[in-house]
Amino acid sequence: MSQSRRVHNPLHTDHKPRHVVWELTMLCNHACAHCGSRAAEARPDELDTPDLLAVCDQLAEAGTTEVALIGGEAYLHPGMVPVTRRLTELGIRVILQTGGRGLGRARLTTLKAAGLVQVGVSIDGLEATHDRVRASPGSFRAGMRTLELARELGFITSVNTQIHRLVVDELRALCGQLQAKGIRGWRCQLTAPMGRAADRPEWILQPWEVIDVIDTLGALQLEAARSARDAGLPVRSVLDIGISNNLGYYGPHDLILRSTPGEEACTWNGCQAGKHVFSIESDGTMKACPSLPTAPYRVDDIRQTAVSEVWGQHPALTFNHSSREDELWGFCKTCMYAAVCQGGCSFTAHTLLGRRGNFPQCYWRATQLKKRGRRERLVHVAPAGGAPYDFGRFEVLEEDWPADA
């Protein structure tokens, strides 16, 4: 595709909060060094069980089809089982994202009976790295054990991995361990400088490092598919490696890493926050996406204002409902994919540079600069303040690609 060609992005208007990520509590049995919400202790004003059940009814009325329950650790909230049961009765698919520590057979069995269908466990590197990141010796083994128990009990299982400087060289080895455990879904995302991760700017990947990450994940996915074909197995029988909304973008690997085997192929089509994605924090704060920093994107308290009153109306929920090309800046403003990409992941761009519209950790961008013998460097210039979902700021400097790199 030539540099002069620009991709058209048709606007879709059928916006409903189909996929909701719901933080039930900030209480957590980990204190992860990369946690965007700085989870550890419960907030003093978290929704109680009657509040949660009322929200379930709101979501059903708004057209929600899937809810991912998160924390902290969602299962530490006493309303976890009643919420799962109510959502299931309303025809909403319920999944749990967890660190996996303390989630034993009895608790999983109870959640299964309540209607939970999927368990996603965060595994953030090989054992030593994972336990270091989660500040909890034994956390890796606990997470792996939870995956085994969940599979035995008939749950769909998946693994989520945050990619930062401590993990980046362990991806191939970690992939092998997940394959050996029979995991079928592995989703990777970049660690963004929000919350506790903002306190560790040295962990954040430089833009040029994303090239090796995507090339590695793409190679691993092709190898998995090839091994399935050689064994005469369906492609769905092997590990499906996926990338989240803040990783990748175009290039030779985007289709295979963003598409589900056996389903329609897809590529990055812009930020979905407020289009089909919606989130609720444990104190009732509504946002267009769970990862968005709270201060610039807070909508209202769900106990005071119903979803139906703000959905499709509040500007913090509708910023993706029309083209955002006019807010693009830097490299993104001139990119051939500007119309469809719309500046990449909103939350990562904002937590890096203080506003949307310019995404330096883009695979396509880094490879195009490399062809010209250039690369970009993120320079940390302002710290975060210490609140949940907060962020500092980086600046982007362009430099020559080192001759020996």
Side-chain angles (χ1 to χ4, degrees):
M1 187 178 292
S2 69
Q3 282 283 11
S4 61
R5 178 180 174 187
R6 295 175 69 83
V7 180
H8 174 62
N9 181 28
L11 297 176
H12 301 286
T13 57
D14 183 23
H15 304 311
K16 292 182 179 180
R18 294 189 179 91
H19 306 289
V20 176
V21 181
W22 190 354
E23 175 195 271
L24 293 190
T25 180
M26 288 269 276
L27 182 62
C28 195
N29 49 24
H30 287 102
C32 301
H34 60 354
C35 180
S37 67
R38 301 182 185 269
E41 302 296 329
R43 304 186 209 227
D45 55 349
E46 292 186 340
L47 277 66
D48 60 19
T49 299
D51 290 331
L52 298 177
L53 296 177
V55 171
C56 293
D57 296 336
Q58 285 194 44
L59 296 179
E61 182 181 355
T64 299
T65 58
E66 180 180 86
V67 170
L69 299 175
I70 67 169
E73 276 292 359
Y75 66 79
L76 296 178
H77 192 294
M80 169 75 182
V81 172
V83 164
T84 301
R85 185 177 296 114
R86 175 68 65 86
L87 290 171
T88 300
E89 291 169 351
L90 292 168
I92 298 173
R93 185 175 185 270
V94 187
I95 67 179
L96 171 65
Q97 296 294 340
T98 174
R101 182 181 174 191
L103 191 57
R105 184 181 296 274
R107 186 170 270 142
L108 283 169
T109 300
T110 300
L111 290 170
K112 179 79 172 178
L116 188 72
V117 298
Q118 181 172 339
V119 176
V121 178
S122 296
I123 301 294
D124 292 309
L126 300 177
E127 184 170 359
T129 298
H130 176 99
D131 287 359
R132 174 186 171 186
V133 169
R134 295 192 165 257
S136 177
S139 176
F140 179 89
R141 296 187 182 187
M144 286 296 197
R145 177 58 178 157
T146 293
L147 286 166
E148 292 175 358
L149 286 172
R151 289 187 64 211
E152 289 176 15
L153 292 170
F155 288 101
I156 298 169
T157 57
S158 59
V159 166
N160 306 298
T161 298
Q162 293 234 3
I163 300 177
H164 48 72
R165 299 299 274 287
L166 274 63
V167 180
V168 69
D169 293 328
E170 300 182 353
L171 296 176
R172 180 169 287 276
L174 180 58
C175 180
Q177 292 198 17
L178 298 180
Q179 288 173 318
K181 289 288 186 181
I183 303 301
R184 294 290 175 260
W186 182 29
R187 185 179 176 122
C188 299
Q189 71 177 76
L190 287 178
T191 296
M194 185 169 68
R196 293 196 192 104
D199 302 335
R200 295 163 173 83
E202 70 278 6
W203 286 16
I204 304 304
L205 290 190
Q206 290 294 340
W208 69 82
E209 294 175 306
V210 173
I211 297 176
D212 284 342
V213 169
I214 294 298
D215 287 348
T216 297
L217 294 177
L220 290 170
Q221 182 68 97
L222 289 174
E223 290 168 16
R226 190 178 303 115
S227 67
R229 289 195 300 270
D230 291 347
L233 299 172
V235 69
R236 280 183 171 271
S237 67
V238 299
L239 179 66
D240 176 29
I241 303 171
I243 49 178
S244 77
N245 292 336
N246 76 346
L247 183 58
Y249 308 140
Y250 314 110
H253 311 299
D254 207 59
L255 271 177
I256 61 170
L257 292 174
R258 212 171 289 283
S259 305
T260 300
E263 298 183 6
E264 184 179 357
C266 62
T267 188
W268 171 249
N269 194 36
C271 174
Q272 297 299 302
K275 283 186 173 182
H276 308 298
V277 178
F278 180 67
S279 75
I280 309 163
E281 293 184 14
S282 62
D283 63 356
T285 295
M286 294 181 279
K287 297 189 300 188
C289 167
S291 300
L292 287 168
T294 302
Y297 293 95
R298 186 183 189 277
V299 175
D300 207 340
D301 186 332
I302 202 168
R303 289 170 291 199
Q304 307 299 322
T305 307
V307 176
S308 60
E309 295 178 47
V310 294
W311 185 261
Q313 306 296 323
H314 196 286
L317 291 173
T318 60
F319 62 90
N320 279 318
H321 287 197
S322 58
S323 174
R324 293 193 288 110
E325 281 192 84
D326 60 349
E327 76 173 32
L328 302 184
W329 56 288
F331 185 100
C332 288
K333 187 173 185 65
T334 63
C335 181
M336 61 183 282
Y337 292 109
V340 62
C341 180
Q342 303 279 293
C345 174
S346 298
F347 110 83
T348 307
H350 202 130
T351 56
L352 279 170
L353 304 179
R355 61 185 171 114
R356 302 187 302 259
N358 192 14
F359 190 89
Q361 293 171 310
C362 164
Y363 178 89
W364 171 261
R365 175 170 171 167
T367 56
Q368 297 310 298
L369 286 169
K370 184 178 181 181
K371 289 177 182 178
R372 304 203 297 261
R374 304 288 284 172
R375 70 182 189 183
E376 291 176 315
R377 178 182 297 277
L378 294 170
V379 179
H380 190 233
V381 295
Y389 298 102
D390 65 346
F391 57 98
R393 188 167 59 84
F394 291 76
E395 290 182 351
V396 184
L397 301 180
E398 189 174 314
E399 61 187 21
D400 289 334
W401 190 285
D404 58 349

